[in-house]
């Protein structure tokens, strides 16, 4: 008995097979992340917000806290650093963090993307696959800009402008770039499980420790402890702090690298922690000196922003609340009492706010990380966080000190006593604020 397979059946099988091949091919294409206009729009916005944190945010925040004769020089530092870092980022900074370094990948990236080589309108970065690489480049550039700019507050009113520029260029390449690679670029700290959502370790501990080292090496301001070194215009500082607070939503929520729920919870956490830290500092001050100050509440707010930075995309709002309270109290103690006890002149409390706030936030990320917020939290470890903090502190302190010593030998770090007395605005830049 013969069995005939109807040709219509063969045709059906062929059509089904073709459909299966097409479907499989389509799935393979879909597996590659597609550029998303919503994500791109959000990241463009976040990038602009983070750039605003440095200019005009940080420039005004710092300028308002120095004396009148140094306001323009202090603001000038933030603006000049923005320009300097932008060029260094294009030349090699981006490549050394995010390009595959081959055998040295654990410690530093490669030079394959120098001058943005190989970047096109179609390329993406594996850390943010739904946005163009151009946008990722610019977003990360704004982080590289603000980090060295933060350091300037520690040695405000006494460093040569030329020395400052040399220090920032060398520090960016020898300190910021390696640490950023270790945490975000595929280096050994990220591989060890160190969590840093938006830069608690890379940005704030890094800058805070460098600031502490710098202010100790350069020495105290003339008249420290005896003369009136009070801020000239805290209204400038209030405006600057407000711009920093708003810009920080780009800093933290933007680090989700997408317009999604993770960005939303990072934004909520940022607001809660900042408010809690501001109130905590204010109440500490109110209890101790009986008067809540504007400088105190805005300093507390910045401390809260710093502390929630590494945790923003890993913790829930309850965790953010606790982090904010602890940061407000901890930063107040460090910036006011520890600084006074040890006698170092950290002019604008870079270590007390950014260094201590970053350490608190980094460690508490390991305590409060919540898998319901971010699956990566399942690997959270206080031990890993402490390891990341320790490595960053030791490396940053040593290399920053070496850079400063070399610059001091070659061109000198500090302005003359006469220049410091007259003010850096007129002596270094030939300008002054007119009444």
């Amino acid at each position: 008995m013969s069995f005939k397979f109807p040709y219509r059946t063969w045709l059906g099988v062929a059509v089904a097979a073709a459909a299966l091949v097409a479907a499989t091919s389509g799935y393979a294409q879909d597996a590659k992340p597609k550029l998303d206009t919503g994500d791109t729009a959000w990241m463009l916005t976040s990038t602009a917000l983070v750039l605003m944190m440095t200019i005009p945010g940080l420039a005004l925040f710092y300028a308002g806290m120095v004396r009148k004769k140094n306001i323009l020089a202090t603001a000038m530092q933030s603006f000049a650093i923005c320009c300097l870092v932008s060029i260094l980022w294009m030349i090699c900074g981006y490549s050394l963090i995010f390009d595959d370094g081959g055998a040295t990948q654990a410690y530093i990236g490669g030079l394959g993307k120098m001058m943005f080589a190989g970047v096109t309108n179609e390329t993406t970065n594996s850390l943010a696959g739904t946005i163009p690489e151009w946008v990722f480049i610019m977003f990360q550039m704004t982080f590289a800009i603000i980090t060295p700019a933060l350091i300037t507050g520690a040695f405000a009113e006494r460093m040569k402008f030329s020395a400052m520029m040399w220090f920032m260029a060398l520090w960016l390449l020898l300190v910021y770039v390696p640490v950023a690679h270790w945490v975000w670029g595929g280096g050994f700290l990220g591989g060890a499980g160190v969590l840093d959502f938006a830069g608690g370790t890379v940005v704030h501990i890094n800058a805070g420790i460098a600031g502490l080292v710098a202010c100790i090496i350069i020495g105290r301001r003339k008249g420290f402890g005896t003369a009136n070194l009070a801020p000239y215009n805290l209204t400038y500082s209030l405006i600057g702090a407000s711009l920093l607070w708003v810009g920080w939503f780009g800093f933290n929520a933007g680090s989700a690298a997408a317009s999604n729920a993770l960005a939303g919870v990072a934004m909520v956490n940022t607001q809660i922690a900042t408010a809690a830290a501001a109130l905590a500092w204010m109440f500490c001050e109110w209890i101790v000196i009986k008067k809540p100050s504007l400088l105190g509440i805005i300093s507390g707010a910045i401390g809260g922003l710093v502390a929630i930075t590494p945790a923003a995309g890993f913790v829930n709002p309850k965790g953010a609340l606790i982090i904010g309270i602890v940061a407000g109290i901890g930063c107040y103690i460090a910036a006011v009492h520890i600084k006074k006890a040890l006698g170092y002149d950290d002019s604008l409390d870079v270590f007390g706010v950014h260094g201590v706030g970053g350490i608190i936030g980094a460690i508490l990320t390991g305590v409060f990380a919540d898998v319901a917020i971010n699956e990566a939290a399942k690997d959270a470890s206080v031990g890993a966080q402490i390891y990341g903090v320790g490595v960053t502190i030791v490396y940053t302190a040593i290399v920053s000190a070496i850079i400063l010593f070399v610059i001091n030998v070659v061109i000198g770090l500090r302005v003359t006593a006469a220049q410091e007395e007259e003010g850096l605005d007129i002596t270094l830049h030939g300008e002054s604020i007119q009444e």
Side-chain angles (χ1 to χ4, degrees), residues 62-193:
Y62 278 177
M65 288 193 286
V66 297
R67 290 167 288 177
K68 179 184 175 182
K69 61 186 179 181
N70 297 314
I71 286 178
L72 299 179
T74 301
M76 171 75 168
Q77 290 175 341
S78 292
F79 204 95
I81 288 169
C82 177
C83 300
L84 175 66
V85 173
S86 297
I87 303 305
L88 293 175
W89 187 252
M90 178 181 179
I91 293 172
C92 64
Y94 174 72
S95 185
L96 287 170
I97 296 174
F98 295 107
D99 183 50
D100 185 349
T104 60
Q105 176 69 10
Y107 304 103
I108 196 67
L111 294 174
K113 290 185 180 288
M114 283 184 65
M115 302 293 288
F116 303 150
V119 179
T120 70
N121 291 352
E122 287 72 41
T123 58
T124 62
N125 185 285
S126 61
L127 299 177
T130 61
I131 65 172
E133 189 170 10
W134 293 122
V135 179
F136 182 79
I137 286 171
M138 187 64 196
F139 181 67
Q140 287 294 331
M141 182 196 294
T142 59
F143 282 65
I145 287 169
I146 196 169
T147 307
L150 291 171
I151 303 170
T152 62
F155 53 71
E157 303 191 293
R158 57 201 190 275
M159 183 180 275
K160 290 180 181 179
F161 184 73
S162 56
M164 187 278 300
M165 291 291 281
W166 273 108
F167 175 63
M168 293 307 167
L170 293 171
W171 190 88
L172 177 84
L173 298 177
L174 298 179
V175 180
Y176 178 82
V177 163
V179 174
H181 176 77
W182 297 345
V183 178
W184 292 335
F188 72 95
L189 289 183

Side-chain angles (χ1 to χ4, degrees), residues 167 171 175 209-210 213-214 217 394-408 413:
F167 175 63
W171 190 88
V175 180
I209 297 301
V213 171
I217 289 176
V394 171
Y395 179 81
T396 301
I398 292 173
V399 180
S400 296
I402 292 172
I403 296 170
L404 288 163
F405 277 124
V406 170
I407 294 173
N408 192 40
L413 288 172

Side-chain angles (χ1 to χ4, degrees), residues 148 177 346-347 380:
V177 163
D346 181 354
S347 307

Side-chain angles (χ1 to χ4, degrees), residues 183-411:
V183 178
W184 292 335
F188 72 95
L189 289 183
V194 175
L195 299 179
D196 187 0
F197 190 74
T201 300
V202 174
V203 176
H204 298 291
I205 296 176
N206 221 357
I209 297 301
L212 179 62
V213 171
C215 75
I216 292 173
I217 289 176
I218 199 169
R220 302 172 182 175
R221 284 169 290 178
K222 183 178 175 63
F224 179 77
T226 57
N228 181 10
L229 304 179
Y232 172 70
N233 193 329
L234 286 178
T235 301
Y236 291 168
S237 295
L238 172 63
I239 295 170
S242 302
L243 290 169
L244 283 164
W245 189 334
V246 174
W248 226 289
F249 292 129
F251 204 76
N252 286 355
S255 292
S259 178
N260 57 19
L262 188 58
V265 74
M267 182 174 283
V268 170
N269 286 338
T270 300
Q271 183 71 13
I272 296 300
T274 305
L279 292 174
W281 184 305
M282 183 191 76
F283 283 119
C284 285
E285 196 174 52
W286 207 342
I287 292 169
V288 174
I289 65 173
K290 311 305 180 186
K291 292 181 180 180
S293 70
L294 174 62
L295 179 58
I297 197 169
I298 61 177
S299 297
I302 301 301
L305 288 164
V306 169
I308 196 60
T309 293
F314 295 116
V315 305
N316 59 46
K318 292 178 182 177
L321 177 65
I322 297 172
I323 289 172
I325 294 171
V326 174
I329 297 171
C331 291
Y332 168 77
I333 293 171
V336 177
H337 299 289
I338 293 178
K339 182 174 76 169
K340 183 177 180 181
L342 297 180
Y344 59 86
D345 184 14
D346 181 354
S347 307
L348 309 182
D349 296 318
V350 176
F351 173 70
V353 173
H354 295 277
V356 173
I359 291 169
I360 289 171
I363 294 174
L364 292 184
T365 297
V367 175
F368 295 109
D370 184 352
V371 292
I373 298 298
N374 191 327
E375 289 185 4
K378 70 181 185 298
D379 299 320
S381 162
V382 173
Q385 296 303 106
I386 293 174
Y387 171 64
V389 168
V391 168
T392 303
I393 289 174
V394 171
Y395 179 81
T396 301
I398 292 173
V399 180
S400 296
I402 292 172
I403 296 170
L404 288 163
F405 277 124
V406 170
I407 294 173
N408 192 40
V409 169
V410 177
I411 64 172

